[in-house]
């Protein structure tokens, strides 16, 4: 059997399963999904005669998936591990495989049960890393990292993560600290979006001091704060009040107007939007701004309905792709700081 393990938000296993199945079918690879509700992960299983290691690597691309925080080819599933000595059987599998890894991450699902395993993951990670170093299985120059994913204490998926394509953060979650100066916790969504949806080079090129941005539905200023932090000039569009300290920065112009009706007098570098509204209406608004050249880049939030979340996601993103045609660059992810929503980036390439 060949399998991929995908980490996701608890409660979104169904959407993650739909997505990896469709993604695999696009490569002509077929299999089945194993997923438990609220487990925080999905297992996609195919047959070995269908999928070689390279085929699995093509599928395990978390940047191409919306609902998966991490996607990893799994080379061993070990069940009923002896709790008094988990290292010996795991090390046996690793020695037989004869691969070296840049580092080892011990992970558990992002669920209440998974959080209870956190102390074990910390202590076991140190012990396994030490044993691997003695066995000469750790090489800082290696192109892959070892992920040992424990859905429970006596069961582990051993996975290999390509450093160039897998998520670099444990559990696929960037750990961000809430800045005390920010007006609202929603600021962490935009901070995470910049990290996850853009690479380092794109952040350097597209988020330069002095650029102009518009924040639709800005009040009290959580997303505006992230733009000001990067020295962008922001038109904050909202009928509600903005944070006083944020306005004192001198980089924010507060315009009391309807975010769906207001338009800039000239094109801007960035449009950001976190309005609580039907996702199709927000998608249509973003498509209009980009299609008419009113902004060069956009990051926006889509609040998903309770039912058919996967279908609604793709309907909204396709609406934007259709508006931009063959030059559409649309990326989306259900971020750690999202809830019943996804965050997307779009531009005309």
């Amino acid at each position: 059997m060949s399998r991929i393990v995908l980490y996701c938000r608890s409660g979104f296993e169904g959407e993650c399963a739909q997505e990896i199945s469709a993604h695999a079918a696009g490569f002509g690879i077929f299999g089945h999904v194993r997923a438990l509700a609220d487990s925080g992960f999905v297992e996609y299983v195919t047959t070995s005669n269908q999928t070689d290691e390279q085929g699995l690597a093509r599928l395990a691309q978390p940047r191409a998936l919306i609902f998966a925080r991490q996607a990893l080819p799994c080379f061993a599933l070990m069940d009923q591990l002896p709790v008094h000595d988990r290292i010996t059987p795991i090390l046996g599998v690793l020695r037989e495989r004869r691969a070296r890894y840049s580092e080892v991450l011990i992970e558990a699902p992002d669920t209440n049960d998974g959080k209870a395993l956190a102390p074990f993951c910390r202590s076991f990670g140190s012990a396994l890393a030490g044993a691997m170093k003695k066995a000469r299985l750790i090489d800082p120059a290696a192109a892959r990292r070892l992920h040992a994913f424990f859905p429970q204490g006596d069961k582990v998926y051993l996975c290999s993560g390509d450093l160039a394509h897998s998520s670099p953060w444990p559990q696929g979650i960037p750990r961000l600290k809430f800045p005390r100066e920010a007006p609202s916790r929603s600021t962490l969504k935009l901070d995470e979006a910049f990290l996850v949806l853009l690479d380092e080079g794109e952040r350097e090129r597209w988020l330069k001091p002095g650029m102009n941005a518009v924040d639709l539905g800005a009040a009290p200023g959580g997303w505006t704060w992230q733009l000001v932090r990067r020295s962008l000039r922001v038109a904050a569009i909202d009928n509600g009040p903005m944070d006083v300290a944020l306005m004192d920065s001198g980089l924010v112009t507060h315009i009391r107007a309807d975010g769906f009706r207001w338009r800039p007098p000239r094109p801007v570098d960035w449009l950001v939007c976190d309005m609580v509204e039907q996702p199709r209406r927000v998608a249509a608004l973003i498509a209009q701004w980009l299609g008419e050249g009113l902004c060069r880049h956009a990051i926006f939030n889509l609040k998903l309905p309770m039912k058919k979340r996967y279908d609604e996601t793709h309907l909204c993103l396709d609406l934007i792709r259709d508006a931009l045609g063959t030059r559409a660059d649309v990326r989306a992810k259900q971020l750690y700081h999202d809830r019943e929503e996804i965050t997307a980036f779009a531009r005309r390439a």
Side-chain angles (χ1 to χ4, degrees), residues 309-329:
R309 298 180 295 200
Y310 178 81
D311 293 339
E312 187 70 16
T313 292
H314 285 275
L315 186 153
C316 290
L317 298 181
D318 285 345
L319 192 157
I320 295 168
R321 292 188 179 101
D322 290 345
L324 297 181
T326 57
R327 297 179 60 192
D329 178 5

Side-chain angles (χ1 to χ4, degrees), residues 1 20 30 36 48 140 175 189 237 271 303 309 313 325:
M1 304 293 285
I20 188 58
F30 300 93
L36 295 175
S48 58
R175 302 294 174 174
K189 276 192 286 188
I237 315 302
L271 169 69
K303 319 294 182 185
R309 298 180 295 200
T313 292

Side-chain angles (χ1 to χ4, degrees), residues 276-331:
V276 180
E277 187 50 79
Q278 293 180 0
R280 293 187 204 184
R281 192 177 181 207
V282 171
L285 180 66
I286 302 301
Q288 185 180 46
W289 274 68
L290 288 167
E292 295 179 2
L294 298 177
C295 64
R296 296 175 182 86
H297 314 89
I299 287 182
F300 51 98
N301 206 257
L302 297 175
K303 319 294 182 185
L304 300 179
M306 292 300 295
K307 297 181 179 179
K308 296 186 177 180
R309 298 180 295 200
Y310 178 81
D311 293 339
E312 187 70 16
T313 292
H314 285 275
L315 186 153
C316 290
L317 298 181
D318 285 345
L319 192 157
I320 295 168
R321 292 188 179 101
D322 290 345
L324 297 181
T326 57
R327 297 179 60 192
D329 178 5
V330 180
R331 317 166 193 178

